[in-house]
Amino acid sequence: MRKNIVAGNWKMNTTLPEGLALAKEVNDAVMACRPNCDVIICVPFTHLASIDHVIDSTKLGLGAENCADHKSGAYTGEVSAAMVASTGAKYVILGHSERRQYYGEVSAILRDKVALALENGLTPIFCIGEVLEEREAGKQNEVVKSQLVEGLFNLSKDEFAKIIIAYEPVWAIGTGKTATADQAEEIHAFIRSAIAEKYGKEIAENTSILYGGSCKPSNAAELFAKPNVDGGLIGGASLKCEDFMGIVKAF
Ligand code: PGA
């Protein structure tokens, strides 16, 4: 059975002391409430090793927000998948729309990142989603399908089985504008059918597909009640323990 997951994406927020305090707070809250889902926080590279020391990683998963598309060597400023894994982190967000949009991360680059993440034992949280003009033109299914095909469908069955998908409509990220639960369900079901077509029904049924984009305590329960929505990737609301836990408790 697929897992229900709530994952935070802190983005470029918090200094190290602030991040440590937030991670401790979330860790304590998770320990106290025994959630009905896996809970993960994805944090800046600079915070990973320190946070790994202050959380119980059997209860609260830790991930990076990106990793390099090369193994090692002369790539000044980059952080490799092996480096991320060596901090204790177990997850990595890849293909976030902000990386695609601002840092030119096209599918060929993402395929390399996914391969390196898997080689190093990291679970990719792979983001897909359409921009507003594509949604308005009714092209959302086409767009997410090609992101899946180009970014992931080179993987073997065993490799693909390790991937978590996050559907994040770009027009809903940080805008306060959430996809309705019905819109999310419709496209999540489509994504699952595309996975089934490529990898078979069993793998598709076992793949967690998270929704991301202005998810908050007030709308999480309705989204998570949908059969094909297996949790959320949470940006803004993951920066406040109370809001993040409000979403976790929606399960
Ligand atoms: P948001 O971001 O929750 O702030 O809309 C979600 C994300 O980008 O992962």
Side-chain angles (χ1 to χ4, degrees), residues 87-164:
T87 66
K90 297 279 186 287
Y91 300 87
V92 60
I93 297 173
L94 292 174
H96 192 280
S97 61
E98 287 150 17
R99 301 291 322 169
R100 293 177 189 261
Q101 196 180 336
Y102 308 142
Y103 301 98
E105 294 196 4
V106 294
S107 295
I109 293 175
L110 294 174
R111 281 198 298 276
D112 291 342
K113 294 191 176 202
V114 168
L116 286 163
L118 290 173
E119 262 173 44
N120 285 282
L122 297 171
T123 298
I125 301 175
F126 191 86
C127 303
I128 56 178
E130 80 286 356
V131 300
L132 186 60
E133 302 80 73
E134 292 163 337
R135 164 71 57 170
E136 282 172 348
K139 289 193 173 146
Q140 63 274 14
N141 288 4
E142 208 179 296
V143 171
V144 297
K145 173 98 186 263
S146 73
Q147 289 170 334
L148 285 172
V149 170
E150 290 172 19
L152 294 175
F153 282 4
N154 61 312
L155 297 176
S156 70
K157 263 191 176 189
D158 286 353
E159 288 167 337
F160 188 85
K162 297 182 180 133
I163 305 285
I164 297 167

Side-chain angles (χ1 to χ4, degrees), residues 9 11 96 98 168 172-174 213-215 233-236:
N9 172 12
K11 307 193 180 183
H96 192 280
E98 287 150 17
E168 300 203 305
I173 295 177
S214 298
C215 188
L233 181 57
I234 318 300

Side-chain angles (χ1 to χ4, degrees), residues 8-245:
N9 172 12
W10 289 7
K11 307 193 180 183
M12 196 172 73
N13 292 296
T14 74
T15 60
L16 180 57
E18 289 164 353
L20 270 172
L22 178 58
K24 279 186 202 157
E25 204 184 345
V26 171
N27 184 66
D28 291 349
V30 167
M31 303 292 253
C33 89
R34 298 168 173 235
N36 288 321
C37 60
D38 285 4
V39 185
I40 300 166
I41 50 174
C42 297
V43 308
F45 291 132
T46 45
H47 300 19
L48 286 168
S50 312
I51 288 181
D52 186 61
H53 284 117
V54 299
I55 63 173
D56 177 348
S57 57
T58 63
K59 305 271 178 351
L60 176 61
L62 179 64
E65 302 171 12
N66 184 26
C67 71
D69 56 342
H70 295 279
K71 211 170 185 155
S72 65
Y75 301 99
T76 303
E78 287 295 291
V79 176
S80 72
M83 292 171 188
V84 169
S86 73
T87 66
K90 297 279 186 287
Y91 300 87
V92 60
I93 297 173
L94 292 174
H96 192 280
S97 61
E98 287 150 17
R99 301 291 322 169
R100 293 177 189 261
Q101 196 180 336
Y102 308 142
Y103 301 98
E105 294 196 4
V106 294
S107 295
I109 293 175
L110 294 174
R111 281 198 298 276
D112 291 342
K113 294 191 176 202
V114 168
L116 286 163
L118 290 173
E119 262 173 44
N120 285 282
L122 297 171
T123 298
I125 301 175
F126 191 86
C127 303
I128 56 178
E130 80 286 356
V131 300
L132 186 60
E133 302 80 73
E134 292 163 337
R135 164 71 57 170
E136 282 172 348
K139 289 193 173 146
Q140 63 274 14
N141 288 4
E142 208 179 296
V143 171
V144 297
K145 173 98 186 263
S146 73
Q147 289 170 334
L148 285 172
V149 170
E150 290 172 19
L152 294 175
F153 282 4
N154 61 312
L155 297 176
S156 70
K157 263 191 176 189
D158 286 353
E159 288 167 337
F160 188 85
K162 297 182 180 133
I163 305 285
I164 297 167
I165 304 283
Y167 166 67
E168 300 203 305
V170 180
W171 46 271
I173 295 177
T175 58
K177 213 174 155 188
T178 325
T180 65
D182 287 337
Q183 281 174 325
E185 171 58 19
E186 195 184 341
I187 195 154
H188 281 226
F190 171 78
I191 292 165
R192 200 176 305 285
S193 71
I195 297 169
E197 227 172 77
K198 170 75 183 169
Y199 292 106
K201 197 154 187 290
E202 195 186 337
I203 289 200
E205 284 302 317
N206 286 331
T207 302
S208 297
I209 307 176
L210 315 184
Y211 168 79
S214 298
C215 188
K216 17 183 202 277
S218 57
N219 57 28
E222 197 190 347
L223 286 159
F224 298 171
K226 294 293 179 187
N228 283 292
V229 179
D230 308 312
L233 181 57
I234 318 300
S238 71
L239 293 169
K240 263 209 192 141
C241 183
E242 196 189 332
D243 290 349
F244 188 56
M245 291 312 294

